[in-house]
Amino acid sequence: GQQVMQIPQYQHVQEGEDFTTYCNSSTTLSNIQWYKQRPGGHPVFLIQLVKSGEVKKQKRLTFQFGEAKKNSSLHITATQTTDVGTYFCAGRVYNQGGKLIFGQGTELSVKP
Amino acid sequence: DGGITQSPKYLFRKEGQNVTLSCEQNLNHDAMYWYRQDPGQGLRLIYYSQIVNDFQKGDIAEGYSVSREKKESFPLTVTSAQKNPTAFYLCASTTAGGIREQYFGPGTRLTVT
């Protein structure tokens, strides 16, 4: 079946270092969403990318959608302790309605 | 104050018992979803419903059942047939159109011993 692979599974960084998580889909996606889950919490929507090659920024976060609409990345510049949590990508496949396929998530820890 | 509520937050059951997890939303969303979250495996879709009185199996529906009698409610029953029911269960809802971002409830952590 369709899969979205996300790497790395864990990332430990020093505060101030950059962080990147990557997602790859086995099939072309109609769009991709990113979510953040704080420890002990529930996933919260961050952003959606729709267009091939799209790049969006939210303060220190940069999201990219690949030209083939099969991969995506989230890059955080100069991490802060408030960035701690698990970041999930979730791809929507054409003709599958509202169903999202979630990646396994990348757990980010930030050492002050 | 709109949102999704799940109850209870923690649930303990003995093996062999069915258990029903509650999910209620007052966001007037059409679609609702149940996910299971296990460490290192992300969110796996159990069941989803795009309209009242209709629902579809997700990727791991075996051992689970749902109903959607009201737009606001989408309860999930974990049956005794589910081989490994201990997990964190998340309910979500979305609008029918637009970005359709998923709004998640706080989750129910189920432990079966």
Side-chain angles (χ1 to χ4, degrees):
Chain A
Q2 295 108 358
Q3 282 191 319
V4 174
M5 305 300 292
Q6 188 173 355
I7 58 168
Q9 188 172 352
Y10 303 98
Q11 186 79 57
H12 309 286
V13 300
Q14 193 78 33
E15 189 171 22
E17 291 181 339
D18 292 357
F19 159 77
T20 305
T21 173
Y22 301 90
C23 281
N24 280 291
S25 169
S26 56
T27 58
T28 303
L29 302 170
S30 65
N31 57 64
I32 194 160
Q33 298 181 347
W34 284 89
Y35 291 80
K36 176 182 178 181
Q37 183 176 23
R38 294 184 187 275
H42 57 275
V44 175
F45 174 79
L46 293 176
I47 207 161
Q48 175 170 281
L49 304 170
V50 178
K51 299 176 186 174
S52 169
E54 189 170 12
V55 178
K56 285 188 176 180
K57 292 193 176 188
Q58 289 180 349
K59 297 183 180 178
R60 295 177 294 104
L61 278 61
T62 302
F63 304 84
Q64 292 189 318
F65 201 10
E67 294 291 339
K69 299 183 73 173
K70 284 188 170 185
N71 57 73
S72 182
S73 66
L74 158 59
H75 179 83
I76 302 179
T77 304
T79 55
Q80 300 175 357
T81 54
T82 53
D83 296 324
V84 163
T86 301
Y87 293 85
F88 293 97
C89 61
R92 186 166 278 127
V93 180
Y94 289 102
N95 302 321
Q96 295 252 336
K99 196 170 101 168
L100 285 173
I101 304 169
F102 278 82
Q104 297 91 333
T106 296
E107 184 179 337
L108 172 65
S109 63
V110 180
K111 189 175 179 181
Chain B
D1 193 21
I4 301 180
T5 56
Q6 290 184 245
S7 59
K9 192 172 176 66
Y10 299 95
L11 192 53
F12 298 88
R13 279 293 182 271
K14 294 288 186 188
E15 205 172 296
Q17 293 179 335
N18 290 357
V19 59
T20 297
L21 280 58
S22 164
C23 178
E24 304 277 332
Q25 55 99 359
N26 61 5
L27 300 166
N28 199 31
H29 285 172
D30 294 296
M32 297 186 74
Y33 305 79
W34 273 105
Y35 294 93
R36 171 183 170 135
Q37 186 172 27
D38 297 282
Q41 294 200 48
L43 279 68
R44 292 184 291 166
L45 183 64
I46 304 173
Y47 268 97
Y48 64 107
S49 167
Q50 294 184 296
I51 197 167
V52 174
N53 291 323
D54 189 36
F55 49 83
Q56 288 79 39
K57 292 182 179 180
D59 301 314
I60 55 165
E62 187 175 347
Y64 300 97
S65 66
V66 293
S67 63
R68 185 88 188 276
E69 296 175 3
K70 298 186 300 181
K71 188 175 184 178
E72 303 79 20
S73 179
F74 192 39
L76 173 74
T77 297
V78 184
T79 74
S80 56
Q82 167 50 231
K83 296 282 189 287
N84 187 18
T86 294
F88 187 49
Y89 289 89
L90 286 159
C91 179
S93 70
T94 68
T95 56
I99 289 178
R100 292 183 293 170
E101 70 265 37
Q102 302 216 335
Y103 292 79
F104 285 86
T108 292
R109 191 165 295 280
L110 173 65
T111 303
V112 177
T113 57

